[in-house]
Amino acid sequence: MKSKKGISPLLLSTVLIGSLLSACSSNSGTSTADSKNAAADAKVAEIVFALPSFNRIPDDLSKVTNAINEITTKKIGVKVDFRLYGPSDYAQKVNLALQSGEKMDIFTTLGQFSNYVSKNQLAPLDDLLPKYGKEMNAILEKDFGPDILKTTTMDGHIYGIPVNKGMAVPTNIIYNTDMLKEAGVTADRIQSVNDLPAVFADVKTKFPDVVPFGPISVNPTDTGLINLLKGSNKVDYLTDTTGVGVVIGDSGKVVNYYESDVFKNGIKMMRDWFNAGYLQKDTATTTITGMEMISSGRGFSYLGGYSGKEVGTMLSAQAGKELQTKRIAPFYFDTSAVNAVTWMVSSTSKEQEAAVKFLNLLYSDADLINTILFGIEGEDYLKVDEHHVKLPEGKDANTVPYTAMLSSGIVGSESLQYQLEGTNWSDVELKLKENKDTERSPYFGFIFDQSEVKTQISAVNNVVNQFLPALVSGSVDPDTIIPKFISALKDAGAQAIIDSKQKQLDQWIAAKNQ
């Protein structure tokens, strides 16, 4: 899903403070009152909070920024410069700020946690959390378990806070309910990925101009095809997004994932689907997403990783069509599944205490979380009951003045977030239960230190970006292209990455068994 580029946010209005000062000036206590107000104002720390949004980003964020600051200034004495960027711009905007010295206090990883640590761009939170993060820590431990901060600990220091959400995200097929019904197919026919080709064939027969599947994400650690294969085969990426250097099962042996039968069989499946006409011909190069295809009526389904079983309600609101989801592969917890979305404090932040206070509130205060996600009550959303909201009459997610509801999976604690009307609240409870029940890799908590192989990782990423899109889209012959892919990976230094990982993993296992 695409969003417009973020804008420079507006700071909290000072009208209220100005009014108070004006009122004070009309009496004999002017200087004393001014002095008190100035002292109170001086205690308010200012931080920059950058959030990725998967919804349309409005041109004016001032109302929402003011509403956020009404909460934070009163409760923790912190004023927030709220910045909202689209997912394609987010990392670039954050990195530019960090490199240029521009103020940037709180930001999220989007899968690059260890990279930020290795570049010394994160503040260690060990001393700050016991003082200013007590409520947040208690909620995280209750909803996930006591070992959650292992996933953000490197060299003995805690560098971030994972988002408290349903982190077990089984692979789902997301599909247009009406098309499925008109094609004469029931959802009961979909039990695994092996059932999909027959469903696609029926849909294509009924709707010849509709693309039955995709496009598919090509990110090596994303929630499309690769996540499907990962969950089905217990693949641990060992916190590195290249895709080389994984452990399959509990062998303890680090191998090149792209040389494995797991990968090769998955690519062959996509090739079969492509040849059968179930994917669009330009799927390897298109920038159109599966959601956009469905919204326009040109697509039937796509793969995605979602927690819970009620996400169809939110996806339907986004697409403007009736969508449902069906789980077709389990999830498998490795470290990256938790720290992929981690909130961090910049090492250059001059307001680290204030930043942790804000994070603590972000995870523990329903008013703050829901203002960030849904905006202003009565304008951007309407309250239905304690847990549910709806969009104003005649409005959808694209026409309300503000919403960031599709960022619900990356903000604060899901148990405190409003749900769209029609969503079963028990689904939230299910998500948090599955956090604890889902199988975890034997190497959960291991974080790969990439510092010794940065050059090789950069070169390998270039190779992956060159070959993987065509392979996962099924648009090239895998028997011809995979050998070339593997050869290029070796030339780029894949073996050095694998060897470095194996050495670190062996040390981690030995230390754990002591």
Side-chain angles (χ1 to χ4, degrees), residues 422-433:
T423 303
N424 191 331
W425 180 253
S426 64
D427 198 55
V428 175
E429 297 167 340
L430 171 66
K431 293 177 186 180
L432 298 177
K433 180 177 183 297

Side-chain angles (χ1 to χ4, degrees), residues 175-187 190 199 203 300:
Y175 60 89
N176 183 310
T177 309
D178 294 332
M179 284 186 181
L180 188 76
K181 185 176 180 181
E182 290 186 47
V185 181
T186 65
I190 306 173
V199 174
V203 169
F300 165 68

Side-chain angles (χ1 to χ4, degrees), residues 387-416:
H387 296 303
H388 294 90
V389 297
K390 64 181 180 180
L391 298 176
E393 189 69 29
K395 299 288 186 181
D396 60 27
N398 294 312
T399 56
V400 289
Y402 172 91
T403 188
M405 63 180 174
L406 288 179
S407 295
S408 59
I410 60 175
V411 177
S413 297
E414 192 165 14
S415 59
L416 298 178

Side-chain angles (χ1 to χ4, degrees), residues 466-483:
Q466 177 187 349
F467 283 90
L468 195 62
L471 285 168
V472 299
S473 67
S475 56
V476 294
D477 176 15
D479 292 335
T480 302
I481 301 301
I482 288 180

Side-chain angles (χ1 to χ4, degrees), residues 153 172 200 225 254 327 329 347 396 463 511:
T153 300
N172 289 254
F200 294 158
L225 172 68
V254 181
R327 292 182 175 185
S347 58
D396 60 27
V463 173

